[in-house]
Amino acid sequence: MIRSALFHAAYWLATVVFALVCTLLALLPGKRALGFGLWLYGSSIVALLRYVAGVRLEVRGRENLPAEPCVIAAKHQSWGDGFSMLATVEQLGFVAGDHLYKFPLIGRILDKAGAIVLSNGGGEEAKARMADGVKRLRADRRDVLIYPEGHLSAPGEKHRYRKGVFHLYAALDRPCVPVATNLGLAWDRQAFRKTPGRVTLEFLEPIPPGLDKEAFMARLEEAVETRTDALVREGLK
């Protein structure tokens, strides 16, 4: 509990510092400076997890990330997932929920980063935001991260995969890299305590562009859920 308390204190301090730093970087032309700041923020949280909370992140399957921009569709078990991805993939675009706008300074950072910010309610507004985001991502030529379930899932839990991930994949005409994880075993989405051990973030074999919705959604869900279940069974090392 002491290590967890120290981690939370360091986490919030780092978050405040980087919110201020990234707000300043957002004033600079282009997205590269802000992208570097977000990468540094994610790397700092991953370092705090390792050296303060005792949670070591192992990244597998980097060779599955193609040279060209892709869609990264990941399992979402923990509030730490976004940090681990920011630390692993530089200059990352992403789809985020509009709940993040309630945090001070975050809205400006999301806007400058070119994030696609959607409401969980969906509807015509969400479709318009997705269409606008796709145009920007085509121009930026960055990898883009999306959590297909749209919800945090406890280890062993699964939500319905939403069709937004297919629309992103089809509109951008890019390969999609599924991602499995068991980070939720160490950073529970509801618990204060962090459980020491080694956790895994694993990039899986890319799904090529051009599949229809039914085939794509079935292949994505099968890949992510099967490998995530295997990682959860591995447990913490």
Side-chain angles (χ1 to χ4, degrees), residues 9 17 24 68 89 132 161 185 200 206 208 214 219 223 227 229:
V17 169
L24 294 176
E68 71 270 20
V89 183
D132 179 64
Y161 276 49
L185 295 174
T200 303
E214 184 176 345
R219 183 165 171 178
R227 188 57 191 151
D229 287 346

Side-chain angles (χ1 to χ4, degrees), residues 78-95:
S78 166
W79 296 114
D81 290 326
F83 301 117
S84 63
M85 199 65 72
L86 284 173
T88 304
V89 183
E90 295 186 42
Q91 301 298 327
L92 180 66
F94 48 90
V95 178

Side-chain angles (χ1 to χ4, degrees), residues 44-94:
S44 298
I45 300 302
V46 169
L48 290 174
L49 270 175
R50 179 182 181 92
Y51 296 110
V52 179
V55 179
R56 305 182 309 280
L57 177 69
E58 178 185 1
V59 179
R60 301 176 185 171
R62 291 178 190 265
E63 67 278 5
N64 286 320
L65 286 169
E68 71 270 20
C70 67
V71 175
I72 299 173
K75 187 69 177 178
H76 196 12
Q77 290 185 345
S78 166
W79 296 114
D81 290 326
F83 301 117
S84 63
M85 199 65 72
L86 284 173
T88 304
V89 183
E90 295 186 42
Q91 301 298 327
L92 180 66
F94 48 90

Side-chain angles (χ1 to χ4, degrees), residues 97-99 118-123 149-151 162:
D98 61 359
H99 65 282
L118 303 178
S119 167
N120 279 339
E149 294 168 281
H151 291 280
R162 300 186 175 192

Side-chain angles (χ1 to χ4, degrees), residues 132-202:
D132 179 64
V134 166
K135 290 179 182 178
R136 287 186 275 111
L137 285 167
R138 282 202 189 104
D140 290 346
R141 300 214 31 96
R142 292 181 294 161
D143 296 327
V144 56
L145 168 67
I146 185 171
Y147 293 109
E149 294 168 281
H151 291 280
L152 284 166
S153 301
E157 182 181 35
K158 180 175 75 69
H159 294 283
R160 176 179 63 87
Y161 276 49
R162 300 186 175 192
K163 59 186 178 181
V165 62
F166 170 75
H167 293 314
L168 193 63
Y169 157 83
L172 290 173
D173 192 29
R174 295 178 181 177
C176 175
V177 178
V179 180
T181 187
N182 63 356
L183 181 55
L185 295 174
W187 186 337
D188 185 277
R189 69 201 197 287
Q190 295 178 333
F192 177 84
R193 182 175 181 176
K194 305 295 175 284
T195 304
R198 188 188 71 199
V199 294
T200 303
L201 177 74
E202 185 168 351

